[in-house]
Amino acid sequence: GINAEYGKQWYQRRVREAVVSTQSTGNTTFYSLHLSSMNLALLQGSADIVANGLYFVTFNQDATSLAVGTSTGYKLFTLNGHDRFDQTYEFTGEDVCIVERLFSSSLIAMVSLSAPRKLKVCHFKKGTEICNYCYPNTILGVKLNRARLLVVLEEILYIHNIKDMKVLHTIRDTPPNPKGIIALSINSDNSYLAYPGSGQIGEVQVFDTLNLDAVTMIPAHDAPLAALSFNSSGSLLATASEKGTVIRIFSIPSGNKVYELRRGVKRCAAIYSLSFSPDDKYLSASSNTETIHIFRLDSSSPPENPRRWRRRWTRRWGSPS
């Protein structure tokens, strides 16, 4: 396991290059959260993050709410319009490094730096703790939909029933996943889980969390995986590798490739996030190149070259590395 200071450095690294952005393409608006690499081997602390006390930032499943974990607790914001966030709740008393909200409900899953192996599930409006679970190693990520709650460790995945929080299934001895790369469909009827199937190449394992069965293995890339993302219905899965030049989209559950999108040819990039638009007509990708790529997904014609938005990093976040 890792102690609190080790975990603190990792979570600080995780949000060091975080930026929340909104982009409009035609009638489609993306609400994208772009996080830096979550590599446990790269644990250099960041003075700006230490000063600001920011550990974690994420949208909820339908991008109507933003959760922010800090050195003193967490805050929840509601998205109003394209560029306005109103704070709706604040909790103080713990150094929160992971906080996930279930859609717009009162259910919160949170992990603190002082107890990085412990998951708390709370009703934030009542101010009560519903339950808590302890795991054998540091929690790298938590994902939720209306049927399942997933807890990610480096080599183990725990699948909980969201209704009573009982552990339904454990996937053990997964390939080492120090970045916590994982995707869970937000559609509880197609509650698919995707996670790396190899540490050397970009294999994706797809698992049905409702029926608790393996679905398929997708040989997505030659290089190890860097990012995974389902569309809102759970019928498409986007993947990117550590090379970062090609993004592929696969049909789920068949695993058939339906799109191959080129982010670049000569310049490799670290892909931080992938995000489908709600209507599945576009895919966004963020990377360490200070650009956001927007790809049009049109089944009747080859994908267009991406439009790109450049967002300069502010002094608060520092330059990407």
Side-chain angles (χ1 to χ4, degrees), residues 45-272:
S46 176
D48 51 357
I49 293 302
V50 172
N52 292 318
L54 177 64
Y55 295 153
F56 186 83
V57 185
T58 190
F59 283 107
N60 66 344
Q61 294 80 5
D62 57 3
T64 58
S65 177
L66 186 75
V68 179
T70 72
S71 59
T72 58
Y74 69 85
K75 298 178 182 181
L76 300 177
F77 298 84
T78 298
L79 178 62
N80 293 311
H82 292 171
D83 55 3
R84 178 181 169 187
F85 288 93
D86 294 330
Q87 183 174 318
T88 55
Y89 182 79
E90 181 175 6
F91 165 84
T92 59
E94 293 188 61
D95 46 355
V96 177
C97 56
I98 295 177
V99 54
E100 296 277 355
R101 183 180 184 182
L102 179 63
F103 289 90
S104 297
S105 74
S106 301
L107 190 146
I108 289 288
M110 57 179 283
V111 180
S112 71
L113 280 178
S114 56
R117 302 180 182 185
K118 185 176 183 179
L119 172 72
K120 292 183 179 181
V121 179
C122 304
H123 190 297
F124 76 83
K125 290 184 179 179
K126 294 181 179 179
T128 58
E129 181 179 310
I130 299 171
C131 63
N132 66 74
Y133 281 86
C134 292
Y135 301 89
N137 213 322
T138 297
I139 299 170
L140 302 183
V142 178
K143 298 291 184 182
L144 306 90
N145 61 30
R146 291 190 172 97
R148 298 290 184 257
L149 182 147
L150 179 74
V151 177
V152 185
L153 309 188
E154 184 171 352
E155 296 183 355
I156 311 176
L157 302 172
Y158 291 88
I159 300 172
H160 293 257
N161 184 6
I162 200 74
K163 292 182 179 180
D164 56 17
M165 285 305 299
K166 291 182 178 179
V167 177
L168 298 176
H169 189 75
T170 303
I171 303 175
R172 298 184 181 274
D173 300 321
T174 62
N177 185 17
K179 297 179 182 179
I181 297 171
I182 210 81
L184 178 68
S185 169
I186 68 172
N187 187 325
S188 55
D189 294 326
N190 290 325
S191 187
Y192 294 115
L193 159 68
Y195 63 95
S198 170
Q200 288 73 47
I201 60 174
E203 290 183 353
V204 183
Q205 293 285 348
V206 180
F207 189 88
D208 184 344
T209 67
L210 292 182
N211 298 308
L212 304 179
D213 287 325
V215 176
T216 188
M217 188 282 290
I218 302 173
H221 302 272
D222 293 332
L225 294 171
L228 295 168
S229 181
F230 283 104
N231 66 341
S232 58
S233 65
S235 61
L236 295 173
L237 174 67
T239 69
S241 75
E242 291 181 354
K243 188 175 181 181
T245 55
V246 175
I247 297 166
R248 295 187 172 100
I249 300 176
F250 300 89
S251 177
I252 302 298
S254 69
N256 295 328
K257 185 176 69 175
V258 292
Y259 289 100
E260 182 167 304
L261 313 170
R262 290 203 167 269
R263 191 210 58 81
V265 178
K266 296 181 179 180
R267 184 181 181 185
C268 296
I271 301 295
Y272 293 152

Side-chain angles (χ1 to χ4, degrees), residues 286-304:
S286 69
S287 71
N288 65 337
T289 62
E290 302 184 48
T291 58
I292 299 173
H293 288 67
I294 306 293
F295 298 90
R296 183 191 299 273
L297 307 179
D298 185 354
S299 58
S300 62
S301 61
E304 295 181 356

